[in-house]
Amino acid sequence: MDECVLKIEQLEKSFGSLEVLKGIDLEIHKGEVVCIIGASGSGKSTLLRCINLLEEADAGHIWFDGQDLMDLSVDLNALRQKIGMVFQSFNLFNNKNVIDNCTLAPMTVRKVPRAQAEEAAVRNLTTVGLKDFIYADSTRLSGGQKQRVAIARALCMEPEIMLFDEPTSALDPEIVGEVLDVMKDLAAQGMTMVVVTHEMAFAKEVSDRVVFMDQGVILEQGSPREIFGSPKNDRTREFLSRYLEDKQQ
């Protein structure tokens, strides 16, 4: 886990007068699973969206594959192809069936031949447990199935790193587990992952490192044992106390 895949330096982002990211420094290493936790409004999702350039940061650097994504001269489209993104609201194309959702980007962006794209789609859909839904109508799937299609779709681009933005927050509680199980399998296979999540049990069990954000800064980071067992910052303890109380009830 020595190779640094992503390095963020002094990243800043404001919306008008509201400072959302206040000088974020963070490194993600190959094969590492990093879970970002914190209260709503702490800047977690904005950080993820800046990494994938869905939001343009105001200052700082995002180093990926040895290139600074903030440098106007780099080929952003080529680099973004290597960064998979899974959203909380699935973002599937409702006018396309499951396999077409998965083959569209590889065929149009990477110019992969249809047969090769479909082969990869079948393989990735099988990986996420949807072998029997390959030709299903996307609109007829459950929320958990849609999110698993979204994960398979991202995998079809053969990303070097996967970003997950609250991937279970839009799901009914009884189907959260099926998506988390897929993510656990990806982690076990060595996929580099950055996960913004409120699923503390997942963060505790699966992550190599937990990052706690509060009001636009990283207050604390460490192993799950360190963060959940003996957090050093008062704000971290306050945030996690609610989780620990829920576990004891």
Side-chain angles (χ1 to χ4, degrees):
M1 210 179 284
D2 293 334
E3 182 185 341
C4 183
V5 175
L6 183 76
K7 184 175 183 178
I8 299 164
E9 296 178 324
Q10 288 298 295
L11 203 68
E12 298 178 7
K13 175 64 179 176
S14 296
F15 295 101
S17 61
L18 179 64
E19 284 186 280
V20 180
L21 301 178
K22 307 171 184 176
I24 298 292
D25 292 312
L26 184 65
E27 289 189 5
I28 309 295
H29 297 92
K30 186 175 178 63
E32 190 177 27
V33 178
V34 175
C35 283
I36 303 177
I37 63 173
S40 297
S42 58
K44 309 183 301 297
S45 291
T46 299
L47 173 58
L48 222 59
R49 291 174 68 85
C50 284
I51 293 172
N52 202 34
L53 305 172
L54 293 172
E55 297 284 358
E56 185 177 346
D58 300 323
H61 303 278
I62 305 170
W63 297 95
F64 175 69
D65 260 10
Q67 299 183 71
D68 186 359
L69 300 184
M70 300 286 282
D71 185 340
L72 297 178
S73 66
V74 303
D75 186 347
L76 291 180
N77 288 331
L79 290 171
R80 286 183 71 187
Q81 291 177 35
K82 303 176 184 179
I83 303 175
M85 182 83 175
V86 177
F87 302 88
Q88 54 183 283
S89 54
F90 325 131
N91 290 15
L92 298 183
F93 296 104
N94 289 329
N95 62 333
K96 296 185 179 297
N97 66 13
V98 168
I99 193 168
D100 287 347
N101 261 281
C102 293
T103 58
L104 180 64
M107 289 170 58
T108 57
V109 178
R110 294 177 57 219
K111 309 302 180 187
V112 173
R114 176 178 290 277
Q116 184 180 334
E118 290 186 348
E119 181 182 347
V122 170
R123 182 173 66 250
N124 287 310
L125 288 165
T126 301
T127 295
V128 302
L130 291 176
K131 184 178 181 180
D132 295 334
F133 294 86
I134 289 170
Y135 299 104
D137 180 345
S138 301
T139 61
R140 300 179 71 85
L141 301 177
S142 71
Q145 290 168 336
K146 288 179 180 179
Q147 194 60 294
R148 285 187 281 157
V149 172
I151 293 172
R153 179 178 62 180
L155 291 172
C156 285
M157 289 296 284
E158 300 181 0
E160 293 182 17
I161 185 171
M162 289 273 284
L163 310 178
F164 294 84
D165 185 11
E166 298 275 16
T168 60
S169 65
L171 302 178
D172 292 331
E174 63 267 22
I175 57 176
V176 165
E178 66 187 56
V179 173
L180 294 180
D181 285 344
V182 169
M183 294 170 64
K184 289 175 187 177
D185 289 343
L186 287 179
Q189 293 165 26
M191 173 62 72
T192 308
M193 297 163 58
V194 182
V195 185
V196 169
T197 185
H198 60 274
E199 298 288 345
M200 296 300 141
F202 174 84
K204 189 174 184 180
E205 178 185 349
V206 180
S207 63
D208 298 295
R209 184 154 43 104
V210 178
V211 173
F212 175 68
M213 287 186 66
D214 185 59
Q215 297 184 6
V217 300
I218 292 176
L219 278 189
E220 189 169 355
Q221 58 180 305
S223 69
R225 170 177 278 186
E226 291 168 334
I227 297 299
F228 289 98
S230 53
K232 297 179 176 62
N233 191 283
D234 289 343
R235 184 70 188 94
T236 314
R237 282 195 291 272
E238 180 188 343
F239 174 80
L240 289 175
S241 67
R242 281 169 282 174
Y243 162 71
L244 295 172
E245 286 170 4
D246 290 344
K247 291 291 286 184
Q248 291 170 355
Q249 290 177 1

